[in-house]
Amino acid sequence: METPKTKYLYEGRQYVIIGIVIVVVFIFIVRLFYLQVIDSEYKSWADSNAFLKKTLYPKRGVIYDRNENLLVYNRPAYDVMLIMREVQPFDTLDFCNTLGITKEYFNYRIATLKTTAGYSPYVPQAFMTQLSTDEYGVLQEKLYKYPGFYIQDRTIREYTYPNAALLLGDIGQVNQRDIENDAYYVRGDDSGRSGVERSYENALRGEKGVEVLLRDAHGRIKGRYENGIHDVSPVAGKNLQLSIDIELQAYAEKLMQNKLGSVVMIEPETGEVLCLVSAPSYDPNLLVGRQRGKNHQILEEDPLLPLLDRSIMGTYSPGSTYKLAQGLVFLQEEVITPQKMYTCAHGYTFRGGKPACHGHASPLALLPAIATSCNSYFCWGLHEMLDSRKRYPTVQDAFEVWKNHMVSMGYGYQLGIDLPGEKRGYIPNSKVYDKIYSGRWNSSTIISIAIGQGEISATPLQIANMAATIANRGYYIVPHVVKEVEGGELDSIYTNKKWTTIDKRYYGYVAEGMRNAVLGGTCRALNMKDVEVCGKTGTVENTHGRDHSACVSFAPYDKPKVAIAVYVQNGGFGATNAIPIARLMLEKFFYGEVSSETKYLEQRVLETVILP
């Protein structure tokens, strides 16, 4: 007989069972939702059984120089792809012999693919990349023997000239960070890793397409799904026209062989870079194909650092080229007038002849000080600006005014060239010196900055940009290496003028001083018969060895067409190595070739070896 207690017990069990059923159903619903909506693995499995979605890679945009010489183009290449879950037993030794690889390498690649982040057995993986046309032909005939493998059409870069490697950049496989940051990429894709290839990647790469192929029950390809109505055609990348003149680029690289340093030429009116040379360099074709990794490692280990783009990444003391900027600041702040004269007794007499100076007339005004590159003159100017309390209440206030003028002229920060990796150089502020000297300092403490030494550093690009600014009499357009993007426009920073904080009228005095340097000063080797060249030498003190040789120049004096900076590490006096290179480059620019009168100079430069 059922008692009330027993009845209550049965009723309790009933509720427990109902609760368990509800929980189980809920778990099934959640799991079903996860598998169908959130987790794509089973969808990938189902899709891969019925279809093969083959990526169609677009043609990458080609690159021309300013004169429409083809610099970078594409040639066919082929990747060996595999879908791991479709791989069935096959003759791996025959497969390896066909591709010219070892069995050990085959096993290594399979193991590597399985342990790489983002791996899925349902998604195509790149087993081997960049097969040549001949290798592709041999493999294609046997591909049916290797289930799970197929060939993906690609293109790789080809270079017409063995020049401008660092500027053009190179192509390499994307990494996990690239994939996470841009949904365009999947494992095995390539992208620009440096130079123009990297900075204009989005324009050059184009848009991928897809071809949907139908499989039968055995996984064999039966043709295009529904006659290709679901296919998407790829869109080719945009072509680029560079501002670079490849003949100037190649000639500058030739002159800089067996030397360390840089040559930068800019068209002042537009900011277009005509040549951007870093020495030493390398043939860009070295970083193409399956030998890319090996060759890159060799370049990385080279003690001369050919992968370092010294034109935008090398930071150097600008030396006496910096006196031009100093003179402009002193004029603007009315520390000097063009007629103001200072004495020089083979050195800066206020500090007992240090910094030292070479022999020339004394006293002298601004224009002859530029022409003869007088150290003492610019030390006196810095002394009067920082130490006199007539203009500024403290040395710190005076220095901040000085620094801000320098920044407006393109020093201390990145200029913004359209290449990756540009360094900013260095212009200290007053707080730096307050920290070093506990707030007790004056011009004598930091006098070396008066002549572009000490804490001051700049890239060759910044030094050339200063010459372009003087050529323009007070403004510059941010230097850039791309002249035109097919079907697009350049960023406005590459078309708008940037005026400095210096009045335009003062630039005329500095330009005249540079002209005097060519006519009868330290730059006489730049004097050309029918082109009015302006210049300034720079001999940069180097505590670790021979001094560096530098110079800046622009021409003609009126309506300048070109500005140039040359920097040769351990090259000695500015007039010894930098000036001859600048002279030859100017002749190449204006005449298209070197004159017979300077052939001896060309030969001397080519035979000069200045290496550590």
Side-chain angles (χ1 to χ4, degrees), residues 62-78:
V62 300
I63 303 176
Y64 301 88
D65 84 337
R66 68 186 298 108
N67 300 313
E68 299 187 359
N69 293 305
L70 182 62
L71 303 181
V72 187
Y73 58 98
N74 304 303
R75 65 175 170 85
Y78 308 90

Side-chain angles (χ1 to χ4, degrees), residues 107-384:
N107 293 333
Y108 164 77
R109 283 297 297 152
I110 295 295
T112 300
L113 291 175
K114 289 182 177 180
T115 57
T116 303
Y119 164 77
S120 171
Y122 307 101
V123 176
Q125 315 286 325
F127 174 81
M128 192 170 178
T129 61
Q130 300 184 0
L131 267 65
S132 68
T133 302
D134 291 341
E135 291 170 325
Y136 160 76
V138 174
L139 178 61
Q140 181 67 24
E141 293 180 358
K142 294 184 171 183
L143 201 59
Y144 70 94
K145 296 181 179 181
Y146 316 127
F149 289 85
Y150 72 95
I151 292 177
Q152 174 74 64
D153 294 354
R154 296 272 192 147
T155 59
I156 59 175
R157 293 309 232 180
E158 194 84 1
Y159 300 90
T160 311
Y161 300 87
N163 308 107
L166 292 168
L167 186 156
L168 295 172
D170 64 295
I171 304 295
Q173 281 200 6
V174 297
N175 54 39
Q176 190 61 31
R177 180 181 298 177
D178 297 323
I179 296 171
E180 293 169 356
N181 291 339
D182 192 334
Y184 178 90
Y185 300 114
V186 297
R187 290 182 59 221
D189 279 358
D190 291 332
S191 72
R193 309 314 293 171
S194 62
V196 169
E197 295 278 16
R198 178 175 172 181
S199 53
Y200 286 85
E201 165 69 11
N202 289 347
L204 287 165
R205 73 189 185 187
E207 298 177 17
K208 296 176 185 173
V210 63
E211 184 179 34
V212 183
L213 303 176
L214 185 65
R215 300 177 185 271
D216 64 14
H218 301 286
R220 293 172 298 198
I221 302 299
K222 304 301 292 181
R224 298 166 71 188
Y225 176 56
E226 294 187 349
N227 294 319
I229 63 173
H230 302 285
D231 295 353
V232 178
S233 298
V235 178
K238 296 178 180 179
N239 299 335
L240 301 182
Q241 183 177 22
L242 303 188
S243 62
I244 299 298
D245 183 324
I246 193 60
E247 291 189 5
L248 287 173
Q249 180 80 19
Y251 187 58
E253 289 185 18
K254 181 180 177 181
L255 296 177
M256 290 295 291
Q257 285 180 358
N258 296 315
K259 305 170 187 68
L260 305 182
S262 177
V263 177
V264 181
M265 295 184 82
I266 298 173
E267 185 177 71
E269 185 180 6
T270 63
E272 293 176 2
V273 178
L274 302 174
C275 84
L276 191 74
V277 171
S278 176
S281 186
Y282 58 92
D283 186 336
N285 288 295
L286 288 174
L287 298 186
V288 172
R290 293 203 300 274
Q291 295 301 311
R292 178 185 183 276
K294 177 182 177 182
N295 289 336
H296 197 279
Q297 184 67 30
I298 293 173
L299 293 171
E300 279 186 338
E301 295 172 354
D302 190 327
L304 298 181
L305 306 178
L307 293 176
L308 173 67
D309 190 342
R310 289 171 167 85
S311 62
I312 63 172
M313 298 178 183
T315 53
Y316 306 96
S317 297
S320 293
T321 63
Y322 200 64
K323 293 172 182 175
L324 304 173
Q326 296 282 27
L328 289 166
V329 173
F330 299 157
L331 287 168
Q332 179 67 32
E333 292 302 307
E334 298 182 349
V335 174
I336 63 172
T337 66
Q339 297 76 34
K340 174 98 177 200
M341 303 182 80
Y342 290 119
T343 60
C344 178
H346 291 276
Y348 179 40
T349 55
F350 188 80
R351 295 185 71 244
K354 294 182 180 179
C357 193
H358 53 276
H360 54 71
S362 177
L364 71 175
L366 175 63
L367 270 61
I370 292 174
T372 60
S373 195
C374 174
N375 286 340
S376 182
Y377 186 94
F378 297 94
C379 292
W380 279 114
L382 189 69
H383 166 68
E384 289 206 15

